[in-house]
Amino acid sequence: MLYDSQEKYGAVSRFFHWVMAVLIFWQMLKLFDRINEGEHWVGQVLVPWHISIGVLLLVLIIVRLGWFISQRENRPPADEQLAVFVKVGHGLLYLGMLLMPVTGLAYMVGKGYGLTVFGVQLVAKSDGIAWLANIGGLHPYIAWTLLVLIVGHIVMAFVHQFIKKDGLLQRMLG
């Protein structure tokens, strides 16, 4: 089943969710790059891919938002008592997933570092653009906020699975 239904999420929604979850987890490992100035496996193996994965995530979130809009009427309904919180929480998650790569790109270009994605130079190094660098300065704050939102998302999935026992997690697992 490719499309979402009232009973569960379809294969496309599950693909976006889990692929992006893995890639975002990879990106969040960048936080550990600050430990020991990157002199460990995270800094040496994962961090060099940070910008390329960020751009990939930007493309995925744009496509995912399009898919979400096309499927919003088909999706399993939210608990009526919590519907506002569910919509706000998911809206903030989507906003964070969109703003993270946008501010990351703003930082790279704004600081004049240029932009190379998967070995292809998209923007040459330059003197930088101050206002764009300022927008890019929001990147770490959005990262921490997104991390808190993700932890909340995971906690709520477990609440549904183990306390409410309403099968919510099964709808995303297939």
Side-chain angles (χ1 to χ4, degrees):
M1 176 177 87
L2 291 176
Y3 302 100
D4 297 345
S5 72
Q6 296 291 314
E7 292 77 39
K8 70 178 193 170
Y9 295 97
V12 175
S13 293
R14 289 192 319 268
F15 170 81
F16 281 129
H17 183 273
W18 294 111
V19 167
M20 290 183 70
V22 168
L23 292 174
I24 290 169
F25 176 75
W26 176 319
Q27 293 295 79
M28 290 295 180
L29 290 174
K30 173 84 166 92
L31 297 171
F32 294 104
D33 183 48
R34 303 292 180 226
I35 301 169
N36 237 3
E37 297 180 17
E39 298 298 323
H40 45 76
W41 73 272
V42 172
Q44 295 167 358
V45 177
L46 301 180
V47 172
W49 292 96
H50 190 76
I51 295 165
S52 295
I53 298 297
V55 171
L56 175 59
L57 280 165
L58 178 59
V59 171
L60 286 172
I61 191 61
I62 291 169
V63 175
R64 184 177 181 180
L65 282 167
W67 181 256
F68 168 79
I69 290 167
S70 76
Q71 295 298 300
R72 70 178 177 266
E73 300 301 323
N74 300 336
R75 293 189 161 208
D79 182 345
E80 288 184 22
Q81 295 172 330
L82 302 174
V84 171
F85 296 109
V86 170
K87 286 182 181 182
V88 169
H90 282 107
L92 289 171
L93 279 166
Y94 275 96
L95 183 63
M97 288 186 290
L98 183 63
L99 289 177
M100 279 303 300
V102 168
T103 57
L105 294 174
Y107 182 83
M108 295 302 294
V109 174
K111 288 289 191 175
Y113 297 130
L115 181 64
T116 301
V117 178
F118 295 111
V120 177
Q121 183 180 13
L122 300 178
V123 178
K125 291 182 180 182
S126 69
D127 292 333
I129 305 167
W131 67 268
L132 203 52
N134 287 336
I135 291 171
L138 296 172
H139 191 70
Y141 301 106
I142 295 169
W144 285 107
T145 303
L146 184 59
L147 180 61
V148 169
L149 289 167
I150 290 169
V151 168
H153 183 70
I154 293 167
V155 166
M156 289 310 299
F158 287 133
V159 165
H160 278 276
Q161 181 67 22
F162 298 112
I163 296 173
K164 293 182 94 174
K165 298 182 182 185
D166 60 5
L168 180 129
L169 195 55
Q170 296 310 105
R171 295 187 295 206
M172 188 50 80
L173 293 174

